[in-house]
Amino acid sequence: MGKSKTYTYDYDDYDKGKNAETMVEDILSDPDFPGLEELVIGCWGCPAQEDCQALLDGFVEHADRFCHITKLFVGDMDFEDCEVSWIMQGDYSRLWQAMPQLKSLTIKGSMDLNLGEISHENLESLTIICGGLGADAIAQIQRARLPRLRKLLLYIGVEEYGFDGNGDTIRELLAGSDFPNLDYLGIVDSEIQDELTEVVLSSKYIHQIATLDLSCGTLTDKGGQLLLDKVPGLPNLVKLDVHYHYLSDDMMAALKNLPLEVDVSEQEQADEWNGKLWYNAMLTE
C-alpha cells in the first residue's frame, strides 16, 4: 500500500501567514512528497474565511509534480478546525484533466463547491462529505463521465446547511447518471432518509451494487421495512450499512437476519419537544 501524508495548519501557522497558497509550496518542498501515493489536505489556515482555490490551482499548475498522487482528500478536518458547514471549498473544473492518474477523490465541505464538467477515465471513488449538498453539485455528478467509478458516497445533509433538493433530485441523479462499474452506492446523512431509501431501492443501480450505504441519517422503521421487503430479492448485495439510525430493536433484529452483512450500530433516539418527535442526521453543522 502506498504512503499517505496529511498536510495541515493550525491557528498559529495561519497567524504567521500560512494559507492555501503556502501549503502548495510546503508540499512541493517536502522531501517525503515524491514517495507519496495519497495526499491528504487538512486545515489550510482559516477555511471558514478563505477557500482552498489556491491549492486546487497549485495542483493544476504543477500537474507534472503531482503525477504520482492517486488518492486525494481535500478538507480532512474536524469541528475543532472548522465546522463542516463552514468549510469553503473551490472550483474543481480543471482538476479532472490535470490529474488523469487520480483514482480516489474525497471532498469535505460544500460551501462554494463547483465540480465543473466531470470527465475522468480512471477515477474509481468519489466521496463528498458535507452538512448539505447543493442541487447544482448533484446535477454535475449526474452528468459526470466516470466509466471506472466503483464507489459513490454522497452526504446529502439538510436544508439548513445547503441541501436544496428533495427526493426527486436524488431520483434524477440515479436515473440520469451512467456509472457502469458502480459497486458501492452511498446516499447518506439525510433528514429524509426513509424517502431516499425508497428512491435508491427503485433505482437502476440496486441490481448492480454489492454495497448499499444508507447510514448516518434519519432512517426509521418505515425505511427499514422497505429494506426488509426488497433486499432478500437482491442476491448481488453483500453488505448493507445503516449505522446511525432510528430503527426499533425489533427492526434491527430483523435486518440483522437478512442473508448478508448488515451494520445496524449506533441506534439513536428521537428528541421530543412540544409533543413532536425530532430526528437529526449525523453530520449537519
Side-chain angles (χ1 to χ4, degrees), residues 59-75:
F59 299 153
V60 173
E61 291 163 12
H62 301 280
D64 58 328
R65 302 281 302 278
F66 287 91
C67 64
H68 57 290
I69 299 298
T70 61
K71 298 178 181 179
L72 177 63
F73 188 160
V74 181

Side-chain angles (χ1 to χ4, degrees), residues 15 32-34 50 65 110 123 135 167 202 208 211 245 256:
D15 203 37
D32 291 339
F33 175 63
E50 297 181 4
R65 302 281 302 278
S110 60
L123 196 74
S202 62
Q208 170 182 326
T211 299
H245 56 80
K256 285 289 287 183

Side-chain angles (χ1 to χ4, degrees), residues 4 12 15 52 95 100-101 138 142 146 195 205 233 240 259 279:
S4 173
D12 289 339
D15 203 37
C52 64
L95 189 75
Q101 78 287 352
I138 294 172
Q142 178 181 329
L146 298 170
E195 181 180 354
Y205 294 113
L240 171 65
Y279 302 84

Side-chain angles (χ1 to χ4, degrees), residues 32-52:
D32 291 339
F33 175 63
L36 300 180
E37 175 185 318
E38 181 176 30
L39 182 62
V40 180
I41 304 299
C43 182
W44 48 83
C46 190
Q49 296 181 22
E50 297 181 4
D51 62 35
C52 64

Side-chain angles (χ1 to χ4, degrees), residues 125-267:
S125 175
L126 176 62
T127 297
I128 302 180
I129 304 166
C130 62
L133 189 59
D136 287 347
I138 294 172
Q140 289 173 330
I141 297 168
Q142 178 181 329
R143 296 191 295 269
R145 192 181 69 83
L146 298 170
R148 295 191 181 182
L149 191 71
R150 295 179 56 82
K151 178 178 180 178
L152 179 65
L153 175 56
L154 302 177
Y155 282 60
I156 303 304
V158 301
E159 181 178 0
E160 184 177 359
Y161 293 109
F163 177 58
D164 53 357
N166 52 36
D168 286 338
T169 308
I170 305 305
R171 182 175 288 106
E172 291 168 7
L173 162 69
L174 299 178
S177 59
D178 182 17
F179 306 133
N181 288 301
L182 197 68
D183 185 62
Y184 181 121
L185 176 60
I187 301 294
V188 308
D189 192 53
S190 173
E191 61 184 346
I192 54 170
Q193 198 70 52
D194 285 340
E195 181 180 354
L196 297 190
T197 296
E198 182 176 10
V199 168
V200 171
L201 288 175
S202 62
S203 74
K204 63 186 179 184
Y205 294 113
I206 200 61
H207 295 283
Q208 170 182 326
I209 57 175
T211 299
L212 174 59
D213 188 348
L214 298 167
S215 64
C216 303
T218 59
L219 187 72
T220 70
D221 282 5
K222 180 180 179 181
Q225 187 60 54
L226 294 173
L227 290 167
L228 280 181
D229 293 342
K230 184 75 172 185
V231 169
L234 300 171
N236 51 295
L237 276 185
V238 297
K239 183 174 182 179
L240 171 65
D241 186 351
V242 294
H243 80 272
Y244 188 100
H245 56 80
Y246 292 84
L247 300 170
S248 66
D249 291 345
D250 287 345
M251 183 58 69
M252 290 170 60
L255 290 173
K256 285 289 287 183
N257 282 330
L258 289 171
L260 72 165
E261 180 183 352
V262 180
D263 184 350
V264 290
S265 60
E266 299 183 58
Q267 182 188 36

